[in-house]
Amino acid sequence: MLELDHKTTAAADGHAMNILLLGAGGREHALAWKMAGSPLTERLYCAPGNAGIAQEAECVALDIADHAVVIAFCQANKIDLVVVGPEAPLCAGIVDDLDAAGIKAFGPSKAAAQLEGSKGFTKDLCKANNIPTGAYARFTAPAPAKQYVRRQVAPIVIKADGLAAGKGVVVATTVEEAEAAIDLMFGGGLGEAGAEVVVEEFLDGEEASFFALCDGTTAIPMVSVQDHKRVFDGDQGPNTGGMGAYSPAPVMTDAMSQRAMDEIIMPTLRGMMALGAPYKGVLYAGLMITAKGPQLIEYNVRFGDPECQVLMPRLMSDLVPALVAACDGMLKSIDLRWYADAALTVVMAAKGYPGSYARGTEIKGLEAAAQVEGVEIFHAGTRRDGDRILANGGRVLNICALGPTVAEAQARAYQAIDRVDWPDGFCRRDIGWRAVARESTSN
Ligand code: AMP
């Protein structure tokens, strides 16, 4: 406890901190970029990081699935705060293990991370706390799941209970498709994630991502974001991790954000507290804005990727004290301020993504692209080879831009993209289309 008390005091006094960020994607580059600019940051490390993160932080090749290795690094390097980017280490209990070692860590405990780790857990929590979400049933075997589906109307949604890296949701347009998805999931197609299946009512509306910083009892809403999950223009083609995002999301008016806080986020915090698993960290609600109001599609227990890449450029306040306050149960004393500018990010991916793609192709022109006004480039999957930047993943770059409107942010981002020389990459050309269309009709 002494160690923890000392750290709380150090942060509260404004002493600079040594910070370790875990992760390797565009989300972590955006977090590293923001935290590197904080006067509270003394040394910033990232494990394992990527070529872009290396411009902001010292990258260290730790196996972040090995919690003992992470703890040993923290002790050897006097780390005051660990910030966990991706969901897998959170669901594996890295925050609990760091806590037990007296190391402050931003993110939920293993028990609280069930909000992402188990869709059934979240649905039950919603039911118990009257949180608006689609009707559902949980199954551990295919036959009763299919029986249930036959009594419903299509479209209907079939979800693997566990973590499936974005592949665990099938929006079935017919009962036959739904039955095939049930067979696939129970047949081991998604590994352990599919041992249990949730069948859920299809919700009709417009989707938005809603983020709140939470300390167990207090939640602070962040600005709204909308992302594009489909790989091709016009929101066509297979689902991906996300091909772009923008903020603000026009569908999330102030009134809708307030409803999301009152009807979804706050009842969740109270419900988690009642279960003895207070939620600390960032809570990312995937919402469907329906005719009846906001409904919860799913929770994630970390920042979205690529949503984080538009949140960080819009955040005027220092992120570091907010993260510390979330860990310490002190968010009631934090006020997050935001730039009025819109932000937009376009993902550049390796040709073939989300299917198979080549690694190691060279990317040129990044410096010229970064010179476009309002543009910031975050690396998602790159590595450095001498002077060369090479693609090292499916989603490779996030070209982000701020602008007075979404349309202007979009124009800047594409102007920068046109300066990137990467014949083996591609991107969507219509990120932000809904917001841009709304802006042009309101002018
Ligand atoms: P997820 O992987 O859980 O983010 O879900 C992928 C996508 O499936 C979501 O972004 C939605 O577009 C869609 N989806 C999930 N659940 C529902 C639902 N109940 N109704 C309509 N669409 C859904």
Side-chain angles (χ1 to χ4, degrees):
M1 276 322 285
L2 226 161
E3 193 66 2
L4 275 175
D5 290 341
H6 159 73
K7 285 178 186 3
T8 308
T9 314
D13 286 355
H15 294 158
M17 307 170 79
N18 294 329
I19 300 175
L20 171 65
L21 172 64
L22 302 183
R27 165 183 50 213
E28 287 76 23
H29 191 177
L31 291 170
W33 171 82
K34 185 67 186 164
M35 292 194 294
S38 168
L40 280 178
T41 303
E42 176 77 43
R43 298 192 74 162
L44 180 61
Y45 300 91
C46 184
N50 64 34
I53 294 172
Q55 296 161 11
E56 312 288 352
E58 221 171 294
C59 292
V60 282
L62 302 179
D63 174 6
I64 64 172
D66 187 339
H67 299 181
V69 163
V70 175
I71 289 168
F73 178 87
C74 292
Q75 287 165 340
N77 293 279
K78 299 193 163 49
I79 297 297
D80 300 295
L81 174 69
V82 177
V83 178
V84 187
E87 63 277 18
L90 295 167
C91 291
I94 197 163
V95 170
D96 309 64
D97 291 344
L98 287 163
D99 256 2
I103 301 159
K104 193 189 296 292
F106 175 79
S109 66
K110 183 175 183 173
Q114 285 182 92
L115 284 175
E116 179 164 359
S118 166
K119 297 201 187 293
F121 172 87
T122 299
K123 298 298 285 187
D124 289 351
L125 182 96
C126 287
K127 193 182 206 174
N129 294 278
N130 287 321
I131 295 167
T133 188
Y136 74 104
R138 302 177 69 170
F139 298 97
T140 51
K146 288 185 191 174
Q147 243 166 34
Y148 176 83
V149 159
R150 285 186 213 118
R151 292 199 304 271
Q152 312 298 314
V153 285
I156 191 151
V157 186
I158 313 297
K159 297 184 171 181
D161 181 74
L163 288 187
K167 298 191 180 72
V169 176
V170 174
V171 180
T173 49
T174 63
V175 168
E176 292 70 38
E177 229 182 280
E179 291 191 24
I182 290 167
D183 281 333
L184 172 90
M185 288 179 192
F186 282 119
L190 296 172
E192 263 303 291
E196 187 179 330
V197 163
V198 174
V199 179
E200 193 181 300
E201 173 194 359
F202 176 80
L203 298 169
D204 201 13
E206 188 171 336
E207 280 181 61
S209 304
F210 190 76
F211 295 85
L213 215 47
C214 305
D215 71 359
T217 49
T218 300
I220 303 183
M222 305 185 106
V223 287
S224 60
V225 189
Q226 247 166 330
D227 75 338
H228 293 272
K229 286 244 179 337
R230 304 297 186 117
V231 71
F232 299 129
D233 284 16
D235 295 318
Q236 303 294 314
N239 256 323
T240 69
M243 294 302 289
Y246 53 97
S247 172
V251 71
M252 286 307 286
T253 56
D254 288 349
M256 200 58 78
S257 295
Q258 192 58 51
R259 284 189 66 180
M261 286 299 287
D262 295 344
E263 297 170 25
I264 297 177
I265 302 290
M266 291 315 296
T268 298
L269 285 204
R270 290 191 292 268
M272 293 300 285
M273 184 65 86
L275 290 176
Y279 188 89
K280 292 184 176 190
V282 62
L283 187 56
Y284 160 8
L287 301 179
M288 190 69 85
I289 309 305
T290 69
K292 284 192 289 185
Q295 303 244 349
L296 183 71
I297 298 178
E298 58 155 4
Y299 271 133
N300 295 298
V301 296
R302 32 78 193 178
F303 283 105
D305 186 340
E307 288 93 332
C308 190
Q309 291 88 307
V310 291
L311 286 174
M312 291 305 117
R314 288 199 68 199
L315 181 58
M316 186 192 293
S317 302
D318 190 346
L319 179 66
V320 175
L323 299 183
V324 172
C327 298
D328 291 346
M330 293 298 289
L331 276 182
K332 59 183 181 303
S333 60
I334 292 281
D335 178 27
L336 288 184
R337 301 191 63 203
W338 302 87
Y339 292 111
D341 272 359
L344 182 137
T345 184
V346 180
V347 170
M348 296 191 78
K351 279 184 182 162
Y353 175 81
S356 59
Y357 52 81
R359 283 176 197 261
T361 57
E362 186 176 357
I363 303 162
K364 294 184 197 157
L366 290 175
E367 277 165 26
Q371 277 161 16
V372 175
E373 191 188 350
V375 164
E376 200 62 51
I377 297 177
F378 296 127
H379 292 218
T382 61
R383 71 183 169 86
R384 182 174 283 281
D385 176 34
D387 282 346
R388 303 189 313 152
I389 299 290
L390 304 180
N392 192 37
R395 292 189 298 166
V396 172
L397 294 168
N398 298 108
I399 313 296
C400 310
L402 285 169
T405 59
V406 175
E408 286 190 53
Q410 184 198 51
R412 289 171 175 179
Y414 284 114
Q415 195 188 334
I417 282 171
D418 291 338
R419 295 185 182 186
V420 176
D421 176 9
W422 182 33
D424 302 284
F426 77 100
C427 67
R428 281 181 56 165
R429 299 292 313 192
D430 66 344
I431 298 302
W433 65 267
R434 275 181 202 271
V436 171
R438 279 195 176 116
E439 282 174 358
S440 65
T441 51
S442 66
N443 283 337

